[in-house]
Amino acid sequence: MTHVITRSCCNDGSCVAVCPVNCIHPTPDEPDFLTAEMLYIDPETCIDCGACIDECPVSAIYPDDQLPEKEEPFLQINADYYKDHDVEGGLVRHPKAPKLPDEELRVAIVGAGPAAFYAAQELVKKAQVRVDMFDRLPTPYGLVRAGVAPDHAQTKGVEETFAAVEKKRNFTYHLGVEVGTHITHDELRERYGAVLYAVGAANDRRLDIPGEDLDGSIAATDFVAWYNGHPDYADRTFDLSGERAVVIGNGNVALDVARILVTDPDELASTDIADHALEVLRASKVREVVVVGRRGIEHGAFTNGEFVSLADLEGVDIVIDDAELTLSEEAAAALADDSLDSVIATKIRLAEEFAAKPQTDGNRRIVFTFLTSPVEIIGDDDGAATGLNLVRNRYIGGGKIEQTDETSQLDAGLIVRSIGYRSRPIKDLPFDDGRSVVPNADSRVLDGPAGDPLPGVFVAGWIKRGPTGGIGRNRLCGEEAAAAILADFANGLLGAPTVDSSDVAALVEGRGAHRVDLSGWKRIDSAERDAGSGAGRRRVKFISIDEMKVVAGRAEPVEGV
């Protein structure tokens, strides 16, 4: 018997470290880890010890004889990975941490998402290191709370890992505190030996085509934050009165948006989706979502786990016309002689299986269109989007594409761009606008793209490397940042604070912050979980910052809130 990793894999690598026979790959030490869709268990090497099951933070691993029916495709997906990935057995070795000075090191982490927490997890293991975590919102966990789709409850289980960190005696929350407003970068540098920014990428990338700003043309970042109950987006309105929506882009976020738009609201009602979003989705007229990809199926940006999960949607057909399965000459040749990368080959196989399935009259639909680019969003006299003009692409060699003269028009009442995220510049830090990152070398912030390191200033996550990779990649990134901080501490490169950080709480509250500490966050968390328990849901989120402050005990109730 073997064990199988399934769709909710978060790539955080916890399972790798406990496997006694190194049968889980790619490991953080292997180049493929940085781009892997998920981790895979080698069925030929697994000894059925079960250690990985206990370690997995999102309950993604099962013995093969206990696989839920919907997870059965992952038995083959795991095995397929090892068709063209040669790995060696043996224990995974990790470098020994440097010997640290005896004095205390205080670290400020700005941001409370996965990269921030994985860095904190490494730092608080050292008794002389104290971590203060800052976030603008009264709630932590970043995109795990506000970005992971509500119907992916297992993935949200990684919050338990973060909850273990926040309970450490050498960890302190400063939630509801905005760096740059309530406390400046320079004030952090005066009070902490190291400042780590892990603030993610909150802005969307634009298409830069005519009509992009018409009503009904929206960013996936906004829509996802809205249905996840992010306070900044709770008041947004989206018109779902049309029967067709178009999602431009085909990454995992694009599939999330498509899936939420066609999922039966009664199923979503058991998740932690925002109540305001559920109400709008119940009234939605959307029956079809077209997912448009600029390149072919071989370059689909979605993971195989997300792709195969679409088959589980009740009352929804996944529609892929055979004509959409065009491959580049290189991929077609590699597929024919069985030399194509197994992950890409699996993606193509899954698409072919969807294409072969019969459709059911009356079902809602997700339709995939590949090798197609939008060139214009068209609208009516009132400035509302009514559709878009498209152009067909073709492969020209080496995986490159060019536009043809074949055009088409697609009517749609909602157009969602989902082509990636961009980071915002951080006040008082250098910023590479072209790459949308803070320039850095090994997590150390540089004074410009080719400058010297700024002592004591670090970055992790998407603000460090750009918006690529999920929870697992952010774990590695956070650990790398923590290692850089500890190495500079050991080598005497950080410098000593000139101001005692014990004044931070009073300082930020004197500037209007309603600072939420661990006890305040736990009151919010408990109230949300209690409300969810009564409704048969994981939690019912607060969507008002003012209401969160009241529940946390940091503000008086306001009439009407």
Side-chain angles (χ1 to χ4, degrees):
M1 184 170 70
T2 184
H3 284 64
V4 182
I5 299 178
T6 60
R7 73 189 67 197
S8 59
C9 175
C10 68
N11 291 47
D12 89 334
S14 299
C15 54
V16 172
V18 299
C19 178
V21 293
N22 193 25
C23 74
I24 304 175
H25 295 271
T27 72
D29 304 312
E30 297 169 345
D32 285 356
F33 183 85
L34 303 182
T35 56
E37 295 186 347
M38 57 180 285
L39 305 183
Y40 307 86
I41 291 177
D42 182 358
E44 299 298 324
T45 309
C46 177
I47 60 172
D48 192 29
C49 70
C52 54
I53 292 179
D54 294 334
E55 197 68 20
C56 179
V58 294
S59 303
I61 306 177
Y62 297 85
D64 62 0
D65 62 351
Q66 297 178 27
L67 267 178
E69 184 176 354
K70 68 179 183 178
E71 306 290 358
E72 288 180 357
F74 287 88
L75 186 60
Q76 182 174 345
I77 288 173
N78 276 246
D80 283 349
Y81 178 81
Y82 293 92
K83 290 180 179 179
D84 63 345
H85 290 81
D86 294 326
V87 296
E88 297 181 0
L91 293 174
V92 178
R93 303 297 180 186
H94 297 282
K96 188 175 182 179
K99 179 175 175 55
L100 301 180
D102 292 333
E103 61 261 28
E104 181 181 81
L105 170 65
R106 298 191 71 97
V107 179
I109 298 181
V110 183
F117 265 101
Y118 284 123
Q121 184 179 46
E122 292 303 302
L123 293 169
V124 297
K125 291 177 181 178
K126 311 300 181 183
Q128 69 267 52
V129 179
R130 302 191 63 82
V131 171
D132 286 7
M133 183 174 285
F134 296 78
D135 198 271
R136 180 177 64 87
L137 295 177
T139 56
Y141 306 159
L143 283 181
V144 174
R145 178 180 172 93
V148 173
D151 56 350
H152 283 11
Q154 277 185 283
T155 303
K156 292 174 184 281
V158 75
E159 290 178 359
E160 299 305 317
T161 298
F162 304 158
V165 175
E166 69 192 14
K167 294 174 184 175
K168 298 292 185 180
R169 292 183 179 180
N170 51 341
F171 180 96
T172 300
Y173 269 137
H174 298 284
L175 302 174
V177 176
E178 185 169 9
V179 173
T181 299
H182 300 127
I183 189 169
T184 68
H185 169 73
D186 287 342
E187 288 169 337
L188 290 176
R189 287 294 296 118
E190 290 171 345
R191 290 162 173 78
Y192 296 90
V195 180
L196 170 63
Y197 287 89
V199 293
N203 289 8
D204 65 284
R205 290 189 180 275
R206 293 178 59 83
L207 295 165
D208 293 328
I209 60 175
E212 188 169 5
D213 293 319
L214 290 170
D215 290 341
S217 169
I218 67 171
T221 51
D222 295 359
F223 192 67
V224 169
W226 171 76
Y227 66 61
N228 271 316
H230 191 295
D232 292 350
Y233 298 86
D235 293 334
R236 290 291 304 272
T237 58
F238 298 101
D239 184 359
L240 305 185
S241 61
E243 292 193 357
R244 179 186 288 139
V246 176
V247 180
I248 300 169
N250 61 12
N252 281 352
V253 173
L255 265 59
D256 284 344
V257 170
R259 194 180 62 253
I260 293 297
L261 283 169
V262 297
T263 296
D264 186 338
D266 286 342
E267 292 187 26
L268 294 174
S270 63
T271 73
D272 65 357
I273 191 169
D275 286 344
H276 60 256
L278 186 61
E279 181 181 354
V280 173
L281 290 166
R282 286 193 184 281
S284 170
K285 302 298 183 185
V286 175
R287 303 290 301 173
E288 178 180 281
V289 180
V290 180
V291 179
V292 177
R294 186 175 65 91
R295 306 182 75 185
I297 176 61
E298 68 196 75
H299 295 111
F302 48 78
T303 61
N304 288 335
E306 289 294 327
F307 196 30
V308 74
S309 297
L310 297 178
D312 299 329
L313 293 174
E314 292 290 336
V316 178
D317 288 333
I318 309 304
V319 180
I320 305 177
D321 190 271
D322 287 338
E324 300 297 336
L325 300 179
T326 300
L327 304 178
S328 65
E329 290 184 6
E330 295 84 358
L335 185 64
D337 66 16
D338 204 27
S339 64
L340 186 63
D341 180 278
S342 59
V343 175
I344 297 174
T346 297
K347 199 180 299 285
I348 295 169
R349 174 180 62 80
L350 292 173
E352 290 173 341
E353 291 175 0
F354 279 129
K357 287 185 177 180
Q359 299 173 35
T360 303
D361 288 342
N363 272 5
R364 297 176 297 280
R365 293 154 47 101
I366 297 177
V367 181
F368 283 87
T369 298
F370 299 102
L371 286 170
T372 301
S373 294
V375 292
E376 180 185 16
I377 297 174
I378 54 180
D380 58 22
D381 293 339
D382 295 324
T386 59
L388 67 168
N389 291 325
L390 304 163
V391 63
R392 194 72 173 174
N393 302 322
R394 66 181 178 189
Y395 284 111
I396 58 173
K400 296 180 180 180
I401 61 170
E402 68 175 9
Q403 292 185 354
T404 70
D405 57 4
E406 181 183 345
T407 61
S408 60
Q409 183 173 310
L410 191 62
D411 295 335
L414 180 71
I415 298 167
V416 186
R417 62 178 180 273
S418 183
I419 57 171
Y421 292 76
R422 283 183 57 85
S423 296
R424 299 189 183 110
I426 298 173
K427 187 177 181 181
D428 299 322
L429 262 63
F431 191 73
D432 184 338
D433 193 61
R435 297 179 56 220
S436 186
V437 299
V438 170
N440 69 92
D442 298 325
S443 304
R444 297 169 178 88
V445 173
L446 302 178
D447 187 14
D452 295 326
L454 296 175
V457 189
F458 302 82
V459 283
W462 285 1
I463 191 66
K464 167 188 171 181
R465 66 182 194 277
T468 59
I471 292 172
R473 182 67 182 90
N474 279 321
R475 174 172 185 159
L476 182 61
C477 198
E479 290 175 346
E480 289 171 346
I485 292 170
L486 294 176
D488 284 6
F489 181 42
N491 293 323
L493 300 177
L494 295 182
T498 58
V499 178
D500 192 329
S501 63
S502 62
D503 73 339
V504 167
L507 175 68
V508 300
E509 290 177 6
R511 294 175 179 170
H514 295 263
R515 175 182 166 271
V516 175
D517 59 11
L518 176 60
S519 62
W521 154 237
K522 285 304 178 186
R523 283 192 284 271
I524 295 172
D525 182 47
S526 179
E528 289 184 340
R529 291 181 183 274
D530 287 348
S533 178
R537 303 169 64 181
R538 182 174 175 272
R539 67 169 71 234
V540 176
K541 294 176 183 173
F542 294 111
I543 60 170
S544 162
I545 289 179
D546 288 338
E547 191 171 14
M548 293 179 195
K549 291 175 182 175
V550 171
V551 175
R554 300 300 299 135
E556 295 296 322
V558 177
E559 186 175 352
V561 175

